[in-house]
Amino acid sequence: MKIASIGSGHMGAALGKRWAALGHDVMFGSRDPHSERIKLLLEETGSNAQAGTISEAASFGEVILLAVLPDAVEQVLAEAGDLDGKILINCTNRYDGRSADEEVRRLAQNARVVRAFHTLPWEVLANPQYEQGTATAFLSGDDPAAAAVVARLITEIGLDPVDVGGPDRMAKVETAIGTLWGVLAPRFGREYSLSVLRRQEPEADAIR
Ligand SMILES: NC(=O)c1ccc[n+]([C@@H]2O[C@H](COP(=O)([O-])OP(=O)(O)OC[C@H]3O[C@@H](n4cnc5c(N)ncnc54)[C@H](OP(=O)(O)O)[C@@H]3O)[C@@H](O)[C@H]2O)c1
């Protein structure tokens, strides 16, 4: 699958490397695709990766990961332009009381937005293995087919996707995870994870 990452920092690099290693074609979209930093990232990522401008990455990807700092979201989505039904994974977080989910769904032009990977630190995405079980990656979005594609990309990197349904439910999950982070990260560090153990999967129409 052709996957673009707009943003080549901690999140974009961690996920881009994993997907490239699995055989996906990855393009990092950067403000400066010829920089020394990007050259090094391409060397580390291997032959399935290339770099381009933000608009080149937006047209390359069937799936596009949005992995920039919140203050850059508006500008890069304007530069990305019409996303024409492509799947846009929003892993951005805001810490100013505004909703990063609402913002991206409002600004992304014609994208099928799926919220995912935002509940996990980049260190876990780079190395999701735990002896005790499989870490959960929560996702949400209005488009079930797009969510299913992202769930597959989550599974491929060794995480357990739990689709919570629409944005309202994800907002509750984010609040809960933020509260737990405040209690657990000081004890266990950034790389602890949560796992939703379950005896049954919800019916598809019970999610949304
Ligand atoms: N770090 C985590 O563990 C973590 C976990 C969950 C969610 N998140 C969220 O994921 C997003 C990315 O986080 P990150 O840690 O990957 O950030 P980061 O390491 O600072 O990387 C952000 C990237 O955004 C790109 N960018 C594009 N336009 C920009 C602009 N106008 N100003 C600044 N940067 C610009 C930069 O790439 P170029 O220089 O190549 O353009 C930069 O590499 C954030 O919204 C964050 O809240 C992070």
Side-chain angles (χ1 to χ4, degrees), residues 171-193:
K172 291 179 185 164
V173 171
E174 286 172 10
T175 302
I177 285 181
T179 304
L180 282 172
W181 179 268
V183 176
L184 298 179
R187 289 186 64 192
F188 300 124
R190 284 174 56 85
E191 293 192 47
Y192 80 86
S193 278

Side-chain angles (χ1 to χ4, degrees), residues 6-12 29-32 37-38 54 66-73 75-76 91-95 117-123 190:
I6 297 182
S8 58
H10 293 97
M11 294 293 278
S30 169
R31 288 168 297 176
D32 184 3
R37 189 177 59 78
I38 296 286
I54 289 164
L66 180 66
V68 297
L69 297 179
D71 289 348
V73 163
Q75 184 201 319
V76 300
C91 75
T92 68
N93 282 325
R94 301 200 72 101
Y95 300 100
F117 299 109
H118 60 305
T119 60
L120 293 161
W122 70 268
E123 294 94 331
R190 284 174 56 85

Side-chain angles (χ1 to χ4, degrees), residues 103-197:
E103 180 184 35
V104 170
R105 284 187 291 110
R106 178 169 49 83
L107 294 173
Q109 298 171 46
N110 296 321
R112 301 154 75 198
V113 179
V114 177
R115 184 113 173 95
F117 299 109
H118 60 305
T119 60
L120 293 161
W122 70 268
E123 294 94 331
V124 171
L125 301 173
N127 174 22
Q129 306 302 321
Y130 291 86
E131 277 176 21
Q132 299 97 328
T134 307
T136 291
F138 294 99
L139 70 148
S140 68
D142 290 330
D143 182 327
V149 171
V150 176
R152 213 162 50 238
L153 291 174
I154 290 172
T155 305
E156 284 182 19
I157 65 165
L159 293 163
D160 177 30
V162 171
D163 187 339
V164 301
D168 291 354
R169 290 190 197 172
M170 181 54 91
K172 291 179 185 164
V173 171
E174 286 172 10
T175 302
I177 285 181
T179 304
L180 282 172
W181 179 268
V183 176
L184 298 179
R187 289 186 64 192
F188 300 124
R190 284 174 56 85
E191 293 192 47
Y192 80 86
S193 278
L194 303 172
S195 186
V196 177
L197 305 177

